[in-house]
Every structure is written in C-alpha cells, then in structure tokens.
Amino acid sequence: MWIYLNDRFVDRKAAVVSVFDHGFLYGDGVYETLRAYGGRIFMLQQHLSRLQRSGHLIGLDLPIPEKDWPALLNEAIGRNGLMDAYIRITVSRGEGEIGLDPGLCKHPTVVIVALPPQSYPPHLFRVGVKLIISRVSRNLAAALPPRIKSLNFLNNILAKQEALQSGAFDALMLNVEGHVTECTTSNLFFVRTGRLCTPSIACGILDGITREVVLLLAQEQGIPVEEGAYTVEALRQAKECFLTNTSMEIMPACQVDHLPVGSGRPGPLTIRLQELFRSNLARFLG
Ligand code: PLP
C-alpha cells in the first residue's frame, strides 16, 4: 500500500509519524474523508474547500496549494490500484517540542491514505440502523466548533462508545439547548408532516457535504425541505429518518432509543432519495 507522507509516496511500513507530532500529542490538526467512484472523486472541490476552512479556523496553513491536491489524490488512488476508494487526508500541526504553542511546530504533517471503500453490511441499508440519544452533548460551537473537521474527536468517540454499549449503530447528540444535532460521523434527516427536516448549521453541526447534496436533490424534486432547531419530541413524530455521510451515502434509521421511527422500516422518501443520489452521482464527480 502506498501512502503519501509530507512530500512523497512511501510504503505503508515507512509511513510513520513522530511521537512529538502535535496531532498525536494534542489532536491538533484537521482532516477530510473523501470517496472516489470509478476513479473520480465525489464533491472534490467542496471537500478541499472545507479542509482549507478547517485549517484556517485553527490557524494552520495547509502546506499544499489547493490546485495541487487533485493530482495527489488521483495518484493515491491510482498507485493503490483502486477505482472506488475511501480517501483520508490528515494534516496535523506537525512535529514540535512539548507545549501547546503551535509555533513550536515548523512543518505540518500531511498524510493521504487511499483504501477500498468502507463496506457496511448491505442489510443495514434495507432494514435501517438503530440509534440512541446520547448522554454526551455535542461540543459547544463557542468552545470547539463542530464545523472544524478536527483530529480532536473525543466528543464523538464518547458518544459512539455509549451507542455500541447499548447495542445501537450510532448515537445522536443533542446540543446544550436540547436540540438534536448530528450522529458521531453523519448528519441527521427526518420526515415529519410531509417535510424533509434536518438540523440547521446553527445547531452546531458539521456542514456535511452529503447533506448538501441531499438538500439540493430534494429541492430540485420539489420536496419540501426545512432546516431548523428540533427537539427529541419533534424527532419522535417522524415518519422516516436517515443519516448521511461520504462513506454511507444515505443510511435509513429505523429506531431511536428503542422506539420505532414511523413503520420501523425505511420509508418511501428515504428510498427515493437513495435512488436519486445514485442516479445523479455522475453530476457530483470531479
Ligand atoms: N458530521 C460529522 C460529525 C462527521 O464526522 C461527518 C463525516 O465524517 C459528517 C457529519 C458527514 O459529512 P460528509 O457528508 O461531508 O461526509
């Protein structure tokens, strides 16, 4: 396996990072997860812009200019003999002496990993996944903004552990006002009173790129869409519910806190959006 590390592609065994890297010591860094279909990357420009934004929000200048990323990502896929791929870009603050001052790190560390796409058990897409409402609140936007896609992932890991301990697929986190936000690596959608609802960015979520595509597809089809602040009670009235992210695309959710959502099976709008996503995919490939 070829991995890009800082300025060249190296074999997996040689792809090692210093124990003084501030990504390792402090979770100081940013990342992106992308997906390629048939050798073409989904929403490439949007992912690169978000990476740039995340870096900017933590005062980290990406050492690779935006125009050079596509060739590197394509090389990462090609060298590993992949057409369909999961690609992860990690940019950490880099190696430096102990201490929080980012100035201690002279050069950010850049890693690009390309792997076969993550596979989810196919039956999950047919029957839907189970969610719990987490006791762990989503990070406060005024403390660690969820729109920074940072290496600092403990907030989500604590919630994920809670989900796994209770036999659920994932945990839905609430913000401090008690409004639903997102799951640990995905955005939330639900259908209520004939509308496709999703928590607004202001609720303190990552502005997911799959979320953006789903909203666009729904609007193009004249499906009523609403972004807002929703309580758990509002979610309980949902007839359908699903999650979105780059790896899963659209994943139906059939249960929240052991109660069925609607009929307890993937609903018609969820299935329609899954089909629309697939049939429109080529429009979104770079
Ligand atoms: N929310 C969180 C916390 C995430 O980590 C992710 C993806 O990793 C998403 C939402 C979905 O984002 P995207 O659709 O851009 O993959």
Side-chain angles (χ1 to χ4, degrees):
M1 183 197 299
W2 289 97
I3 293 177
Y4 184 81
L5 176 61
N6 292 329
D7 56 359
R8 71 196 65 168
F9 280 91
V10 296
D11 182 68
R12 181 185 180 139
K13 285 202 183 69
V16 290
V17 174
S18 165
V19 294
F20 290 100
D21 194 290
H22 282 210
F24 176 69
L25 290 174
Y26 306 118
D28 185 357
V30 295
Y31 81 103
E32 270 298 321
T33 297
L34 304 89
R35 181 157 173 190
Y37 297 85
R40 293 165 65 198
I41 298 174
F42 178 70
M43 297 289 273
L44 174 60
Q45 205 43 56
Q46 289 78 355
H47 279 284
L48 292 177
S49 302
R50 193 170 65 184
L51 181 67
Q52 197 83 36
R53 184 190 76 195
S54 295
H56 176 73
L57 289 170
I58 68 162
L60 171 62
D61 286 334
L62 304 186
I64 296 174
E66 205 161 329
K67 67 171 181 31
D68 292 349
W69 283 103
L72 284 176
L73 299 176
N74 286 329
E75 191 173 345
I77 303 167
R79 273 187 184 248
N80 288 296
L82 300 167
M83 291 298 277
D84 294 336
Y86 160 98
I87 308 159
R88 175 169 163 133
I89 303 174
T90 308
V91 184
S92 80
R93 191 75 67 177
E95 184 177 358
E97 291 308 310
I98 298 278
L100 299 190
D101 177 3
L104 295 166
C105 307
K106 296 296 170 238
H107 304 289
T109 302
V110 179
V111 176
I112 304 172
V113 176
L115 300 168
Q118 238 176 311
S119 67
Y120 293 89
H123 76 274
L124 291 183
F125 292 93
R126 288 194 303 274
V127 301
V129 296
K130 296 175 183 168
L131 304 178
I132 56 152
I133 307 283
S134 181
R135 285 191 294 268
V136 179
S137 299
R138 186 72 178 110
N139 273 336
L140 193 62
L144 181 54
R147 55 198 289 271
I148 303 174
K149 204 161 164 57
S150 89
L151 302 185
N152 221 297
F153 231 66
L154 267 182
N155 181 217
N156 314 45
I157 291 168
L158 293 178
K160 182 76 178 185
Q161 278 178 324
E162 192 188 346
L164 296 175
Q165 277 155 15
S166 62
F169 174 80
D170 207 351
L172 175 59
M173 291 180 278
L174 308 182
N175 63 20
V176 286
E177 275 114 40
H179 294 131
V180 297
T181 62
E182 58 187 343
C183 284
T184 62
T185 57
S186 58
N187 291 115
L188 173 82
F189 282 84
F190 59 95
V191 181
R192 192 175 65 123
T193 56
R195 288 172 179 275
L196 181 64
C197 303
T198 192
S200 66
I201 309 294
C203 290
I205 60 168
L206 180 73
D207 47 345
I209 289 168
T210 322
R211 172 185 184 278
E212 186 185 323
V213 168
V214 167
L215 286 173
L216 177 74
L217 292 172
Q219 273 152 3
E220 285 177 357
Q221 294 293 313
I223 296 165
V225 167
E226 186 182 284
E227 293 177 67
Y230 305 102
T231 58
V232 174
E233 216 27 67
L235 178 61
R236 294 238 183 278
Q237 294 156 10
K239 295 272 178 284
E240 302 181 34
C241 179
F242 63 86
L243 310 177
T244 61
N245 77 14
T246 298
S247 305
M248 294 189 298
E249 301 173 351
I250 297 176
M251 174 64 84
C254 60
Q255 240 186 50
V256 177
D257 267 352
H258 309 286
L259 295 172
V261 178
S263 66
R265 310 162 76 106
L269 189 52
T270 307
I271 293 168
R272 184 167 161 212
L273 286 165
Q274 282 175 319
E275 286 165 2
L276 278 169
F277 187 91
R278 277 285 156 167
S279 58
N280 282 271
L281 192 56
R283 283 170 56 192
F284 303 108
L285 302 180

